[in-house]
Amino acid sequence: MRTAIRTGALRSLPPPSTAPIHSSVNGLRNGVPRRFSVPPSSAIHSKSHDRSEALAPAARLPEAEPVPAAVPRKRVTIADIKERRAKAGRLIAPTAAYSDADMFKAPTTGKPKAKRWDHYLTKESILRAPCKLKQAAKHLKTPGLISLGGGLPCPEYFPISSLTLHVPTPPNFSEAATMEGGGEDITIGKYDAGFSQPSSSSSSSSAREEEPKSEYDLSIALNYAQASGSAQMTRFVTEHVELVGAAPPYADWRTCLTVGSTGALEQALRMLCDGAGRGDTLVTEEFSFSTALETAAPLGVGVVGVPMDAEGMIPAELDALLSSWDSPSSSPSSFSSSGMKMAKKGRGKKPHVLYTVPSGQNPTGATQSERRRRDIYEVARRHDLFIIEDEPYYYLQMPEHSGGLTDQPTPPQSVDEFLDGLIPTYTSMDVDGRVLRMDSFSKVVVPGSRLGWITASEQIVERFIRHAEVANQGPSGFSQAILHKLLDERWGHEGYLRWLMNLRVEYTKRRNAMAAACDEFLPKEVVSWNPPRAGMFQWLKVNHELHPQVSTKSILDIEEEIFNSCIAKGVLVARGSWFRAEQDVPPSGLYFRATFAAATPDNMREAIRRLGEAIRENYQL
Amino acid sequence: MRTAIRTGALRSLPPPSTAPIHSSVNGLRNGVPRRFSVPPSSAIHSKSHDRSEALAPAARLPEAEPVPAAVPRKRVTIADIKERRAKAGRLIAPTAAYSDADMFKAPTTGKPKAKRWDHYLTKESILRAPCKLKQAAKHLKTPGLISLGGGLPCPEYFPISSLTLHVPTPPNFSEAATMEGGGEDITIGKYDAGFSQPSSSSSSSSAREEEPKSEYDLSIALNYAQASGSAQMTRFVTEHVELVGAAPPYADWRTCLTVGSTGALEQALRMLCDGAGRGDTLVTEEFSFSTALETAAPLGVGVVGVPMDAEGMIPAELDALLSSWDSPSSSPSSFSSSGMKMAKKGRGKKPHVLYTVPSGQNPTGATQSERRRRDIYEVARRHDLFIIEDEPYYYLQMPEHSGGLTDQPTPPQSVDEFLDGLIPTYTSMDVDGRVLRMDSFSKVVVPGSRLGWITASEQIVERFIRHAEVANQGPSGFSQAILHKLLDERWGHEGYLRWLMNLRVEYTKRRNAMAAACDEFLPKEVVSWNPPRAGMFQWLKVNHELHPQVSTKSILDIEEEIFNSCIAKGVLVARGSWFRAEQDVPPSGLYFRATFAAATPDNMREAIRRLGEAIRENYQL
């Protein structure tokens, strides 16, 4: 994987800037360099310290003080949004209308602008020019203009004149209630917004004077659109970002719809990492989302993994890795907890992009605390790292598992309590504009929407859109129309937040059911785990050192045997080795990932029983 | 644009194969090298032969005989498909089921396999590994298996329990009839296919014994799926390809759903053209779809344009370009119709990929005849070119325009007559497997579906899918569910073909309306045009040599003046220069593109009147 395609470097780009390393944050830091020491015992997944606990308590950085919020987190309220919308009046955004988040944001007057990232953009990204045909759409605003410009089909030929959804009525989100006489029908018509008219309509003024039923309709959603997504959904996600306190503290932040975070990650990597030309390397957790690794590999982008503990990536390890990257002292003779590895890595260009899944990390389930995020952000500033924050499970944050089968989750008492309990996002602490956050509706509405969004600085979002124009032209109009109708128009922000609260309770129950099954069926003498605080995954560590054939079989062989035995017994789990950031280094531990998202609680229990049996047999217990 | 990023070449790949140049096609060709001479007068858009006719009659290649069909075109019939489906029984394809076109194709026993294209694949494409988590889906077939593998959300948490579409009932496709009491409602339920059950359903056998309502439902479509698309829609497009006679004559062809042809083209280019590493160059029409050019440019892929006539790209010009690519004789001193250009181009690697829009080409509206396609395919074989066939307007083929306002199109009398009248596709003559065809529902159903498909050899489709897994995970499930319900389940193949026939009549009317408006309002002394035989675009040539300031103003300046004057007068047209394949060469002619897809006939007439006025004023007529 890491035999990166590194041809003669394309150095027409300026060298990476040497940004001030210990710049003071809102005047509260004293500017004294803060040094993280590497606490080896906290690195529970690190290769040299194999322990039986899957997830140890969070590492404490001896010299580190809690970092105060750069800008105190201030959420926009639902009342603010309502007031802002009332003031703005009806949204006028017909077919292919241009829009951007600035049209919908709270004023950012007086805030500084984000840093620029020209020194990190790839040649490919720099070369992107705007789509000429989409740019021409700006003329459509000219009153009375008739367009013979873009090849946009006439909506008369769209064979769907309305779409009706049957959906739950808040606060009763239960599927059973919705399907058995409850719920309600909501309909999206072709000409609900009134910007264009059916072919048969007379041009009599009476028809036109009717109050439009909606701000969005099928004639708009099902035609070509801007690649950044419709104005209607851009407004919704921009306001949502503000409501949950994820808005960055700088002025020029933007959002942009995506075809989901999978595609968004590939676009981000192609924008920031040039494997073939510059020999760029990506930093991530030592176990990382396999599809992310599969996205980086063909681009020739090398990947290095940072040791993790119960709270995910360890800031001191990240700092140590980067600090010693170019240092001649990090040779194999100078041992540290990760000295060997670093010596090997100390070739090629120092990484400038960090990819991280802060909440319910895939595959380990680890969730970074606020403190952890601030520490990592601090290291990123020190080394001028750009951060890709991938947060599909952000809203599936859960209370700590207290154990026991009867562990029924207590839902938050109010939307405010729910929002207050969410761990702050990287974007919310991003004074520099060095974070690109990826959100997705896949895990919290439906994966099949292929719809998500990013939040980042104007420069980054603009380059991202230029790529989207040729990579996908933005998400499906069916998806946008349906999610807009349900989330914005019918439920509204509050209804959607209540949906997320409900979902969190459901996933908490599932997490608890899996924890109970693990307690009941897994052989604790060799398997260890911590129930996660977010997401969909239970990470299981199996102590390979206790395996009867440890001296003759490789970890990968044992993993494969257990995996095959699981299939034979009727349970599919994911192999830990699929997720190793550094696929060219032999594994140092034996892991499996089990999701509690898919199966019913009864099936989950049975599946874990089968898994336990497979491990016991393999270990001859 | 063509300042390609060409670093030290990555030559770990084998050199391009020297395929037999004049290989005999099904025994009918005599193997004698057939030489195309370059007919300069046919190259109506070529730089050195500027004429007032926008589109001259099709070029004739003096020595060329009609090339017999490599394999006689044989269409599968709707009855064949019905019989095949009845024989296969119910399609069992639950959540994330793997499928490929082979499951749905007519047998190809005895046919040869496609050639392999390893020598053209980019390093990036070669490095792609299958998505481990999607591969694991193969185990889901194991009876009784419980999956704790992929992080697929439980459909219980999908907040949409049904989707109802209001659609036209064939053969009455009119929007007015559908919206005013006609048409019908069709509904997609969450559990219509019966592979999974609602959370509240009792496990009593009675519920399970009900006949499932459908082979596809929201619980499948709205979850994660294979990136190649659902089995249900793969079956539909595969059968459709066979029905319209577009199936390739080799055995191992496949289809794969895409997020539309825009994204598919980027994926194809990244698979076949390595601008930065190998210095690859793409061949296309001298005027080409601007978004395609904008896709190639950031990849460092150079673009060369081939002169066109009324039937599009001229095979002899393509042959001459490639034959003289590496020849030292094509220096500026040896003039030919395109000698200057070729000398300039005769640097870098000889192109191995051709991108073409054969029907209703964007922007020129030119349509390649069957004979033209066979000639181009022959040149492609001679130079071992891989062909990307982009056919969004294929079904918008029209009868020739006979002139006059009362020119009402005669629709085909039957589905067979419609199909027989379609010009054969490149795939249908592709004995080698050197064609990747891109189809799209954008122009013929709705652009907002962001849904299309490709047809190509198994090797090419497999590499394409590997990229789709990380670039977008396939098209939206909403789009797939809706198009499947409408096209496959409700209308069926015949209904869909009748829809296309209806659409073709509608676009013919629009084409005629635009032609009439041009006749009425454009100053024929400077503007020339030919009504197109397919597509959505009227290409207008304005004779810049007759411009009063021709000696002092550049073509681009005149173009800009007319464009701005058009905006001021209330009409948006596309500037011809946006579409120039070679953006670094000064333009040699003045063109505008006008679409007849979007505006009403009345508005179209008014818009062309304004355009005529703008040109007259600018030309002081």
Side-chain angles (χ1 to χ4, degrees):
Chain A
M1 289 285 194
R2 291 185 53 222
T3 50
I5 324 167
R6 282 165 191 172
T7 55
L10 279 172
R11 288 306 196 107
S12 62
L13 298 170
S17 83
T18 46
I21 284 181
H22 298 285
S23 59
S24 96
V25 180
N26 79 347
L28 293 169
R29 294 289 316 286
N30 57 12
V32 176
R34 188 156 60 94
R35 278 273 147 226
F36 298 121
S37 66
V38 180
S41 64
S42 69
I44 69 100
H45 295 158
S46 78
K47 275 79 186 174
S48 46
H49 293 274
D50 218 356
R51 300 193 300 162
S52 60
E53 302 83 33
L55 295 167
R60 290 287 159 215
L61 301 168
E63 304 164 48
E65 304 279 329
V67 181
V71 169
R73 185 157 70 133
K74 189 176 164 291
R75 289 201 319 268
V76 167
T77 67
I78 290 173
D80 295 337
I81 300 283
K82 282 185 177 157
E83 193 188 323
R84 199 194 297 165
R85 284 205 187 189
K87 214 166 145 186
R90 185 170 137 73
L91 174 58
I92 306 295
T95 302
Y98 171 84
S99 73
D100 64 51
D102 273 358
M103 300 174 174
F104 310 116
K105 277 158 62 180
T108 55
T109 328
K111 290 186 181 175
K113 281 195 148 198
K115 286 181 195 274
R116 289 191 60 87
W117 303 97
D118 305 72
H119 55 300
Y120 286 167
L121 293 180
T122 59
K123 192 97 179 172
E124 173 182 314
S125 186
I126 290 167
L127 279 173
R128 297 200 173 282
C131 177
K132 292 189 189 76
L133 290 167
K134 296 219 186 274
Q135 292 287 306
K138 66 171 181 261
H139 297 292
L140 299 177
K141 278 183 286 187
T142 312
L145 182 118
I146 304 169
S147 177
L148 308 178
L152 278 66
C154 177
E156 180 183 349
Y157 308 133
F158 296 172
I160 296 158
S161 51
S162 72
L163 266 183
T164 301
L165 330 173
H166 191 71
V167 297
T169 311
N172 189 351
F173 293 111
S174 117
E175 180 187 62
T178 307
M179 293 185 72
E180 290 159 14
E184 59 188 321
D185 282 343
I186 49 179
T187 296
I188 314 167
K190 203 195 259 188
Y191 299 105
D192 286 356
F195 300 122
S196 47
Q197 301 289 329
S199 53
S200 60
S201 80
S202 68
S203 54
S204 73
S205 59
S206 70
R208 295 211 173 147
E209 275 163 21
E210 270 177 39
E211 183 68 19
K213 285 184 196 156
S214 175
E215 291 174 328
Y216 197 36
D217 63 26
L218 296 181
S219 81
I220 306 167
L222 302 187
N223 216 323
Y224 285 105
Q226 296 294 321
S228 55
S230 64
Q232 290 82 358
M233 272 307 280
T234 299
R235 178 177 63 179
F236 181 80
V237 301
T238 303
E239 291 167 351
H240 175 79
V241 163
E242 292 181 318
L243 282 174
V244 302
Y250 55 86
D252 53 338
W253 65 273
R254 292 272 171 99
T255 60
C256 167
L257 299 197
T258 68
V259 296
S261 295
T262 303
L265 176 62
E266 202 200 34
Q267 288 180 235
L269 291 182
R270 292 198 191 271
M271 189 196 306
L272 295 162
C273 296
D274 182 351
R278 286 194 306 220
D280 287 350
T281 296
L282 183 69
V283 185
T284 184
E285 285 90 359
E286 61 178 321
F287 291 94
S288 185
F289 179 36
S290 56
T291 305
L293 302 172
E294 287 152 4
T295 305
L299 310 186
V301 174
V303 178
V304 282
V306 176
M308 308 170 75
D309 62 16
E311 290 195 6
M313 180 178 288
I314 301 168
E317 292 277 2
L318 175 66
D319 189 44
L321 175 76
L322 295 170
S323 297
S324 63
W325 190 271
D326 294 320
S327 149
S329 72
S330 62
S331 70
S333 62
S334 78
F335 270 89
S336 80
S337 76
S338 47
M340 285 292 283
K341 218 165 70 185
M342 273 188 281
K344 181 174 172 302
K345 283 171 196 160
R347 283 180 244 133
K349 202 166 143 293
K350 183 173 164 178
H352 64 267
V353 178
L354 168 69
Y355 168 73
T356 184
V357 180
S359 310
Q361 200 256 357
N362 190 348
T364 65
T367 297
Q368 298 167 4
S369 64
E370 174 172 1
R371 165 69 189 282
R372 177 63 58 98
R373 295 176 199 213
R374 294 197 184 281
D375 285 343
I376 289 175
Y377 188 78
E378 183 73 16
V379 175
R381 298 192 85 189
R382 180 173 308 163
H383 296 283
D384 203 22
L385 277 181
F386 192 93
I387 300 174
I388 300 174
E389 176 186 26
D390 184 7
E391 277 288 42
Y393 314 109
Y394 184 69
Y395 297 101
L396 302 182
Q397 295 177 39
M398 304 166 191
E400 197 165 356
H401 179 61
S402 58
L405 268 165
T406 55
D407 189 18
Q408 283 300 313
T410 321
Q413 293 306 298
S414 67
V415 167
D416 277 336
E417 187 187 320
F418 171 63
L419 293 176
D420 287 338
L422 293 173
I423 302 169
T425 69
Y426 277 100
T427 47
S428 74
M429 51 188 79
D430 182 20
V431 288
D432 297 332
R434 64 174 66 252
V435 177
L436 180 156
R437 178 180 163 97
M438 308 194 300
D439 274 279
S440 169
F441 289 113
S442 289
K443 302 300 191 296
V444 291
V445 182
V446 290
S449 67
R450 306 314 311 128
L451 186 57
W453 75 91
I454 57 164
T455 308
S457 72
E458 183 178 1
Q459 180 189 23
I460 294 295
V461 170
E462 192 271 344
R463 290 289 91 190
F464 187 94
I465 294 171
R466 293 289 87 79
H467 187 193
E469 287 174 347
V470 297
N472 49 53
Q473 293 212 42
S476 156
F478 285 118
S479 300
Q480 293 192 59
I482 289 168
L483 264 58
H484 177 266
K485 178 61 69 171
L486 177 61
L487 306 186
D488 184 289
E489 212 174 282
R490 186 67 203 126
W491 286 357
H493 285 292
E494 179 160 352
Y496 179 50
L497 291 172
R498 290 196 178 276
W499 166 260
L500 294 173
M501 288 160 68
N502 173 70
L503 207 59
R504 161 202 159 117
V505 171
E506 292 297 316
Y507 276 91
T508 307
K509 287 185 203 161
R510 290 177 158 265
R511 188 267 321 260
N512 294 352
M514 173 156 287
C518 290
D519 265 337
E520 190 175 355
F521 295 116
L522 297 185
K524 293 194 189 61
E525 54 273 43
V526 294
V527 190
S528 55
W529 66 93
N530 276 353
R533 295 288 305 267
M536 298 183 158
F537 302 113
Q538 179 63 65
W539 186 238
L540 300 165
K541 177 171 174 62
V542 187
N543 188 340
H544 69 280
E545 288 174 353
L546 299 178
H547 194 275
Q549 285 100 42
V550 65
S551 55
T552 56
K553 282 184 179 166
S554 74
I555 292 178
L556 284 178
D557 286 344
I558 299 172
E559 187 193 73
E560 187 168 9
E561 280 177 15
I562 296 174
F563 178 80
N564 289 338
S565 168
C566 282
I567 298 293
K569 289 179 188 299
V571 55
L572 175 65
V573 291
R575 295 173 60 166
S577 63
W578 292 345
F579 304 96
R580 290 161 48 242
E582 300 175 28
Q583 292 277 328
D584 55 347
V585 174
S588 60
L590 177 59
Y591 301 90
F592 292 93
R593 189 196 77 174
T595 179
F596 46 86
T600 63
D602 282 353
N603 280 345
M604 220 175 340
R605 189 167 173 271
E606 171 59 17
I608 293 289
R609 195 193 61 73
R610 295 174 187 175
L611 171 65
E613 203 174 87
I615 295 171
R616 274 179 219 279
E617 284 181 17
N618 191 273
Y619 271 71
Q620 298 165 19
L621 298 174
Chain B
M1 289 281 198
R2 291 184 55 222
T3 49
I5 324 166
R6 285 168 189 168
T7 54
L10 277 173
R11 288 306 196 106
S12 61
L13 298 171
S17 83
T18 48
I21 282 179
H22 299 286
S23 60
S24 95
V25 180
N26 78 347
L28 293 170
R29 294 290 314 288
N30 58 11
V32 175
R34 189 155 61 93
R35 277 275 147 225
F36 299 121
S37 67
V38 180
S41 66
S42 71
I44 69 99
H45 295 159
S46 77
K47 277 77 189 177
S48 46
H49 295 271
D50 218 356
R51 302 191 301 163
S52 61
E53 301 82 34
L55 295 169
R60 289 288 157 215
L61 301 168
E63 305 164 47
E65 306 276 333
V67 181
V71 167
R73 187 157 67 134
K74 191 176 163 291
R75 291 203 317 267
V76 168
T77 66
I78 290 172
D80 294 338
I81 300 283
K82 281 186 178 157
E83 194 189 321
R84 199 193 297 165
R85 283 206 188 190
K87 215 166 143 186
R90 186 170 137 73
L91 175 58
I92 307 294
T95 301
Y98 171 85
S99 73
D100 63 52
D102 273 358
M103 299 174 175
F104 310 116
K105 276 158 63 179
T108 56
T109 326
K111 290 186 180 174
K113 281 195 147 194
K115 285 181 195 274
R116 289 191 59 87
W117 303 97
D118 305 72
H119 54 300
Y120 287 167
L121 292 180
T122 58
K123 191 97 180 171
E124 172 181 316
S125 186
I126 289 167
L127 280 174
R128 295 199 175 286
C131 176
K132 292 188 190 78
L133 289 167
K134 296 219 184 277
Q135 293 285 307
K138 67 170 182 261
H139 296 293
L140 299 178
K141 279 184 285 189
T142 312
L145 182 119
I146 304 168
S147 177
L148 307 179
L152 278 69
C154 178
E156 180 182 348
Y157 308 131
F158 296 172
I160 296 159
S161 52
S162 72
L163 265 184
T164 301
L165 329 173
H166 191 70
V167 298
T169 310
N172 190 351
F173 293 111
S174 116
E175 180 189 62
T178 307
M179 292 185 72
E180 290 159 13
E184 58 189 319
D185 281 343
I186 49 179
T187 296
I188 314 166
K190 203 196 261 188
Y191 298 105
D192 285 355
F195 299 121
S196 48
Q197 303 289 329
S199 53
S200 60
S201 81
S202 68
S203 55
S204 73
S205 57
S206 69
R208 294 207 176 151
E209 275 162 20
E210 270 177 40
E211 184 68 19
K213 285 185 197 156
S214 175
E215 292 175 327
Y216 197 35
D217 63 25
L218 296 182
S219 82
I220 306 167
L222 302 188
N223 216 323
Y224 285 105
Q226 297 293 321
S228 56
S230 64
Q232 290 82 358
M233 271 309 279
T234 299
R235 179 176 63 178
F236 181 80
V237 302
T238 303
E239 292 167 351
H240 176 79
V241 164
E242 292 182 318
L243 283 174
V244 302
Y250 57 85
D252 53 336
W253 64 274
R254 293 271 174 100
T255 59
C256 167
L257 299 197
T258 68
V259 296
S261 295
T262 303
L265 176 63
E266 201 200 33
Q267 288 180 235
L269 291 182
R270 293 199 191 269
M271 190 195 308
L272 295 162
C273 297
D274 182 350
R278 287 196 305 221
D280 287 349
T281 296
L282 182 71
V283 185
T284 185
E285 286 90 358
E286 62 178 320
F287 292 93
S288 185
F289 179 36
S290 55
T291 305
L293 302 172
E294 287 151 4
T295 306
L299 310 185
V301 174
V303 178
V304 282
V306 176
M308 308 171 75
D309 63 17
E311 290 195 6
M313 180 179 288
I314 300 168
E317 293 276 3
L318 175 65
D319 189 43
L321 174 77
L322 295 171
S323 297
S324 64
W325 190 271
D326 294 321
S327 151
S329 72
S330 64
S331 70
S333 61
S334 76
F335 269 91
S336 79
S337 76
S338 46
M340 284 293 282
K341 220 163 70 182
M342 274 187 283
K344 180 173 172 306
K345 283 170 194 164
R347 283 181 243 134
K349 205 169 141 288
K350 183 173 163 178
H352 64 266
V353 179
L354 169 67
Y355 168 74
T356 185
V357 180
S359 310
Q361 199 255 358
N362 190 347
T364 66
T367 297
Q368 298 167 5
S369 65
E370 175 174 1
R371 166 68 190 280
R372 177 61 59 96
R373 293 175 201 213
R374 292 197 185 282
D375 287 344
I376 289 175
Y377 188 77
E378 184 71 19
V379 175
R381 297 192 86 189
R382 181 172 306 162
H383 296 283
D384 204 22
L385 277 181
F386 192 94
I387 300 173
I388 300 174
E389 176 186 24
D390 184 7
E391 276 288 41
Y393 314 108
Y394 184 69
Y395 298 101
L396 302 182
Q397 295 177 39
M398 304 166 192
E400 197 165 355
H401 178 63
S402 58
L405 268 166
T406 56
D407 188 20
Q408 281 301 309
T410 323
Q413 293 306 297
S414 66
V415 167
D416 277 336
E417 188 187 318
F418 171 64
L419 293 175
D420 286 339
L422 293 173
I423 302 169
T425 68
Y426 277 100
T427 48
S428 74
M429 51 188 81
D430 183 20
V431 289
D432 298 333
R434 65 173 67 252
V435 178
L436 181 156
R437 178 180 162 96
M438 308 193 299
D439 275 278
S440 169
F441 289 112
S442 289
K443 302 299 192 296
V444 291
V445 181
V446 289
S449 66
R450 305 315 309 126
L451 185 58
W453 74 92
I454 57 164
T455 307
S457 73
E458 183 179 358
Q459 181 189 21
I460 294 294
V461 170
E462 192 271 341
R463 289 291 89 190
F464 187 94
I465 294 170
R466 292 291 85 80
H467 187 192
E469 287 174 347
V470 298
N472 48 56
Q473 294 213 40
S476 154
F478 285 117
S479 300
Q480 293 192 60
I482 289 168
L483 264 59
H484 176 266
K485 179 60 70 174
L486 176 62
L487 305 185
D488 185 288
E489 213 173 280
R490 185 69 203 124
W491 286 356
H493 286 292
E494 178 158 353
Y496 179 50
L497 292 172
R498 290 195 180 278
W499 166 260
L500 294 173
M501 289 159 68
N502 173 69
L503 207 59
R504 162 200 158 120
V505 171
E506 293 297 315
Y507 276 92
T508 307
K509 286 184 203 162
R510 289 176 160 267
R511 189 267 320 261
N512 295 352
M514 173 157 286
C518 290
D519 264 337
E520 189 176 354
F521 295 116
L522 297 185
K524 293 194 188 59
E525 55 273 41
V526 294
V527 189
S528 56
W529 66 93
N530 277 350
R533 295 287 306 269
M536 298 182 156
F537 302 113
Q538 179 64 64
W539 187 237
L540 300 165
K541 178 171 172 61
V542 186
N543 189 337
H544 70 279
E545 288 175 352
L546 300 178
H547 195 276
Q549 284 101 42
V550 65
S551 55
T552 55
K553 281 186 180 164
S554 74
I555 292 178
L556 285 178
D557 285 345
I558 300 172
E559 189 193 72
E560 187 168 8
E561 279 178 15
I562 296 175
F563 178 81
N564 288 338
S565 167
C566 281
I567 297 294
K569 288 179 188 300
V571 54
L572 174 65
V573 291
R575 295 173 60 166
S577 63
W578 290 346
F579 304 96
R580 292 162 48 244
E582 300 175 28
Q583 293 276 328
D584 54 347
V585 174
S588 60
L590 178 59
Y591 301 90
F592 291 93
R593 189 195 79 174
T595 181
F596 45 87
T600 63
D602 281 353
N603 278 347
M604 220 172 347
R605 187 166 175 274
E606 170 60 17
I608 293 290
R609 194 193 63 72
R610 294 174 187 174
L611 170 65
E613 203 174 88
I615 296 172
R616 274 180 219 278
E617 283 181 15
N618 192 272
Y619 271 71
Q620 299 164 19
L621 298 175

